[in-house]
């Protein structure tokens, strides 16, 4: 059992970043919404330290979110951030004042008070530290035992602490990028709390394998393989745990990229000896998609067929009791919502959604505790080739959603070839790893061009490349004009059927990453 840090979530937009910072320090932590953190939960969970997140509420609002007082009786360090600071002052005998409409938002500079605090080791080397503030209410009187260790012009209680009890309460957000020395702050906090930094992928691999063996026993497991990083890492890990009790099903819906099916089959069946059913169902999918141009209808057809086909081939395995999925931690974190609606929303995995109930299968989800970059680290630990681990995400519905309008085989062929040239360009220029996702989309328009001495009337393409942390928001990638020009020339010269190339410069929001 790892030393655990508990993050109590009060609904801040950046709570996940706290977990990221801590995991980078090899500290195992979990985020739990405040409603779930009861006294019993705490007694059972036995965290080595607690962090109270920020949040949009006011401690004076009716039903303001609060942790149980037992949090302060565990005898472990507690760090309150922004709303978390206000909660600590409110509950421990200080005073919080309403913001009277004046919020402090954005960059601020904190300067130290006379006293030193281990939490601030490595801070204030230049006399002040840039931090990120985002608050309406503020603390106006400290709780007994607390003293001030840092102030900013807008926040006289920017950094406060009761060093004896190791209670720390800060007004700013150390987890965000705009607090440049924030990682050091967390490093000091976990050192003060006595964490040994025992969360490593090597250790995780051993534990996960033991857990899978215990959960599965000698039953059979099936795993839907998409060729993406998550399902691949899950499959290799489970195979290491239970060997041939695992069978993977790779459904080729005819909407894959150039060479993709071969790559996946070679890697799993030939290199790893993992039993693999390669279901070539392109006729079925492309047949049902024939003449369909509405994006939602396309997605529904693909989703339905995927389940049918998976189920059909899974039956060949005979008597599988478990379905393995590459569900990640961000998919399962329960996010707190204050604005009406259900108070707890859980995102569900959509690619094989509905299968477990329909087939009466139990789930094996060995990546449930991991963030994407940790899955990549685990993949490296398991020896997956770096080129595979670093692959850009590829959506379940594949090229169907990169072919607005009707899907035809000739259009898919043009798209595959153009996409391959585009990705080759990106790799040659050493940009692949800087980009979250890049792809070509074939547009449902033909345009007039001139090539040599002749007129052409061919398809137009859109190229897309974005940077992102999690796919939820994204910025278009700022390629140089030289790069774009060279890429357009190569595509038009090397891919018959294309005579125009455009670059999509929409961010998300308001656009989405995929075109459909
Ligand atoms: P959007 O287009 O919504 O995409 O901005 C965000 C991220 O999700 C991927 N995506 C999907 N992944 N099944 C998947 O496995 C899907 O149906 C699906 N739709 C979008 C998309 O490629 C991007 O990384």
């Amino acid at each position: 059992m790892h030393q655990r840090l508990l993050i109590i979530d009060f609904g801040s937009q950046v709570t996940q970043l706290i977990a990221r910072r801590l995991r980078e320090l090899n500290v195992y932590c979990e985020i739990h919404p405040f409603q779930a953190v009861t006294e019993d939960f705490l007694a059972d969970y036995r965290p080595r330290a607690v962090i109270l997140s920020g949040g949009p509420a006011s401690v004076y609002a009716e039903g303001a979110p609060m942790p149980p007082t037992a949090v302060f009786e565990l005898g472990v360090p507690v760090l309150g951030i922004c709303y978390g600071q206000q909660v600590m002052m409110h509950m421990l005998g200080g005073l919080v004042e309403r913001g009277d409409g004046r919020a402090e938002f954005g960059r601020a500079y904190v300067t130290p008070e006379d006293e030193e605090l281990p939490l601030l080791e490595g801070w204030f080397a230049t006399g002040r530290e840039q931090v990120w503030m985002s608050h309406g209410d503020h603390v106006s009187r400290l709780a007994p035992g607390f003293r001030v260790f840092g102030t900013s012009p807008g926040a006289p209680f920017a950094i406060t602490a009761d060093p004896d009890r190791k209670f720390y309460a800060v007004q700013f957000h150390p987890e965000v990028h705009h607090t440049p020395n924030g990682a050091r702050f967390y490093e000091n906090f976990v050192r003060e709390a006595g964490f040994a930094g025992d969360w490593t992928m090597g250790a995780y691999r051993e534990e996960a394998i033991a857990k899978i063996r215990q959960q599965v026993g000698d039953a059979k497991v099936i795993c839907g393989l998409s060729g993406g990083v998550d399902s691949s890492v899950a499959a290799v890990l489970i195979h290491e745990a239970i060997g041939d009790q695992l069978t993977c099903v790779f459904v080729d819906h005819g909407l894959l990229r150039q060479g993709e099916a071969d790559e996946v089959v070679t890697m799993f069946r030939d290199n790893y000896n993992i039993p693999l059913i390669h279901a070539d169902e392109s006729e079925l999918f492309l047949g049902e998609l024939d003449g369909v141009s509405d994006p939602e209808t396309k997605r529904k057809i693909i989703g339905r067929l995927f389940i049918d086909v998976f189920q059909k081939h899974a039956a060949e395995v005979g008597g599988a009791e478990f379905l393995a999925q590459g569900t990640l931690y961000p998919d399962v974190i329960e996010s707190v919502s204050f604005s009406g609606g259900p108070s707890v929303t859980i995102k569900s995995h959509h690619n094989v959604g509905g299968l477990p109930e329909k087939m009466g299968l139990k789930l094996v989800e060995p990546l449930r505790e991991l963030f994407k970059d940790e899955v990549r680290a685990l993949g490296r630990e398991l020896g997956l080739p770096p080129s595979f681990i670093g692959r850009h995400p590829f959506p379940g519905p594949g090229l169907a959603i990169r072919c607005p309008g009707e899907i035809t085989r000739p259009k898919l062929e043009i798209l595959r070839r153009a996409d391959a040239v585009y990705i080759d360009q990106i790799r040659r220029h050493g940009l692949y790893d800087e980009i979250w996702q890049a792809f070509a989309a074939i547009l449902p328009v033909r345009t007039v061009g001139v090539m040599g001495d002749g007129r052409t009337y061919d398809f137009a393409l859109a190229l897309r490349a974005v940077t992102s942390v999690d796919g939820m928001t994204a910025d278009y990638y700022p390629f140089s004009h030289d790069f774009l020009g060279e890429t357009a020339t190569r595509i038009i010269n090397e891919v018959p059927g294309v005579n125009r190339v455009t670059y999509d410069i929409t961010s998300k929001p308001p656009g989405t990453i995929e075109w459909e």
Side-chain angles (χ1 to χ4, degrees):
M1 172 69 74
H2 294 284
Q3 299 173 327
R4 297 195 283 195
L5 189 148
L6 171 65
I7 301 169
I8 304 181
D9 184 25
F10 296 104
S12 159
Q13 298 295 319
V14 291
T15 303
Q16 278 203 29
L17 289 180
I18 305 176
R20 294 291 325 114
R21 295 287 94 83
L22 295 165
R23 295 274 184 105
E24 280 159 16
L25 295 166
N26 298 334
V27 167
Y28 184 73
C29 58
E30 288 179 5
I31 300 173
H32 289 269
F34 72 92
Q35 302 98 320
V37 181
T38 58
E39 267 184 48
D40 287 348
F41 174 94
L42 282 174
D44 190 47
Y45 194 87
R46 288 187 287 132
R48 193 173 187 96
V50 177
I51 293 182
L52 309 176
S53 88
S58 165
V59 290
Y60 290 112
E62 203 180 316
M66 292 287 156
T69 47
V71 162
F72 304 109
E73 290 150 14
L74 295 169
V76 303
V78 180
L79 168 64
I81 295 167
C82 196
Y83 177 77
Q85 180 191 46
Q86 293 159 19
V87 164
M88 285 175 83
M89 293 308 142
H90 186 73
M91 292 180 71
L92 295 170
L95 198 66
V96 177
E97 273 182 17
R98 283 182 188 278
D100 61 32
R102 279 182 310 139
E104 189 186 18
F105 182 79
R107 216 171 257 113
Y109 293 91
V110 181
T111 49
E113 285 293 294
D114 301 342
E115 289 183 275
E116 283 190 4
L117 187 69
L119 192 70
L120 301 175
E121 207 181 289
W123 267 45
F124 302 125
T126 60
R128 62 178 198 172
E129 284 290 337
Q130 181 188 314
V131 299
W132 186 256
M133 295 280 188
S134 171
H135 61 102
D137 294 356
H138 58 270
V139 173
S140 58
R141 196 184 69 223
L142 290 176
F146 278 81
R147 304 196 298 274
V148 178
F149 291 86
T151 62
S152 77
F157 299 114
I159 302 172
T160 66
D162 174 344
D164 294 340
R165 289 189 286 177
K166 293 196 177 171
F167 286 174
Y168 309 100
V170 299
Q171 182 66 80
F172 59 91
H173 287 274
E175 60 278 7
V176 304
H177 178 68
H178 305 286
T179 302
N181 216 359
R184 184 65 190 260
F185 184 89
Y186 281 113
E187 197 182 325
N188 294 336
F189 178 68
V190 300
R191 188 196 56 235
E192 282 300 290
F195 280 90
D198 60 0
W199 172 250
T200 62
M201 278 305 125
Y204 182 76
R205 173 187 185 173
E206 297 309 317
E207 276 168 39
I209 287 172
K211 250 198 224 168
I212 294 165
R213 287 189 181 139
Q214 195 194 12
Q215 184 190 4
V216 170
D218 53 12
K220 285 185 186 165
V221 179
I222 46 168
C223 175
L225 209 58
S226 66
V229 181
D230 307 340
S231 62
S232 301
V233 171
V236 173
L237 181 70
I238 295 170
H239 187 250
E240 195 162 297
I242 58 168
D244 289 356
Q245 284 166 251
L246 169 74
T247 303
C248 292
V249 183
F250 172 57
V251 178
D252 179 349
H253 45 22
L255 300 159
L256 299 169
R257 289 167 295 187
Q258 190 164 290
E260 191 151 30
D262 280 349
E263 248 176 64
V264 172
V265 173
T266 306
M267 172 146 125
F268 285 90
R269 191 187 283 160
D270 304 350
N271 294 354
Y272 276 96
N273 274 328
I274 298 180
L276 174 72
I277 297 173
H278 175 193
D280 180 355
E281 297 284 355
S282 47
E283 291 293 328
L284 174 71
F285 279 80
L286 297 182
E288 295 245 352
L289 287 167
D290 192 27
V292 178
S293 56
D294 177 65
E296 272 313 293
T297 314
K298 282 182 189 174
R299 278 179 174 271
K300 290 207 174 99
I301 291 172
I302 295 167
R304 171 173 57 78
L305 291 178
F306 189 85
I307 292 181
D308 289 351
V309 165
F310 190 86
Q311 208 169 1
K312 181 176 92 187
H313 291 282
E316 292 169 27
V317 174
E321 280 180 39
F322 292 91
L323 174 74
Q325 285 192 342
T327 313
L328 304 190
Y329 193 45
D331 301 328
V332 296
I333 293 175
E334 300 177 356
S335 50
V336 181
S337 153
F338 293 96
S339 50
S343 62
V344 171
T345 352
I346 304 174
K347 276 197 262 168
S348 56
H349 228 63
H350 41 283
N351 288 336
V352 275
L355 265 175
E357 303 84 61
K358 219 171 162 179
M359 296 177 66
L361 294 171
K362 290 172 270 186
L363 285 175
V364 189
E365 298 180 311
L367 313 180
R368 273 180 79 84
E369 291 164 3
L370 306 185
F371 287 96
K372 187 95 181 175
D373 54 337
E374 291 175 314
V375 172
R376 291 196 161 123
L378 179 61
R380 282 191 288 275
E381 180 74 33
L382 289 164
L384 276 105
S387 58
F388 210 84
I389 290 169
R391 289 174 113 201
H392 291 172
F394 185 63
L399 300 182
I401 58 177
R402 297 176 179 178
C403 185
E406 287 185 24
I407 300 166
T408 64
R409 284 177 189 268
K411 276 165 84 177
L412 288 175
E413 195 42 39
I414 292 172
L415 179 55
R416 275 192 194 101
R417 295 180 66 173
D419 188 74
V421 173
Y422 179 38
I423 298 298
D424 181 58
Q425 273 288 100
I426 290 174
R427 287 199 189 277
R428 279 193 200 183
H429 285 258
L431 301 173
Y432 191 84
D433 294 337
E434 279 182 36
I435 293 169
W436 163 266
Q437 200 169 358
F439 57 86
I442 184 163
L443 304 184
V445 274
R446 288 181 184 224
T447 70
V448 173
V450 50
M451 255 182 129
D453 290 326
R455 175 187 193 266
T456 58
Y457 186 54
D458 284 332
F459 283 106
L461 287 183
L463 304 182
R464 183 100 167 111
V466 296
T467 54
S468 177
V469 184
D470 50 16
M472 305 296 281
T473 61
D475 282 324
Y476 75 86
Y477 186 79
F479 285 126
S480 72
H481 283 233
D482 283 349
F483 174 89
L484 290 171
E486 188 183 302
T487 306
T489 305
R490 267 195 70 190
I491 290 176
I492 291 170
N493 287 341
E494 294 175 34
V495 186
V498 180
N499 69 356
R500 197 172 293 269
V501 174
T502 64
Y503 185 53
D504 177 354
I505 53 165
T506 321
S507 292
K508 172 184 181 177
T512 54
I513 295 175
E514 303 289 347
W515 271 54
E516 289 194 333

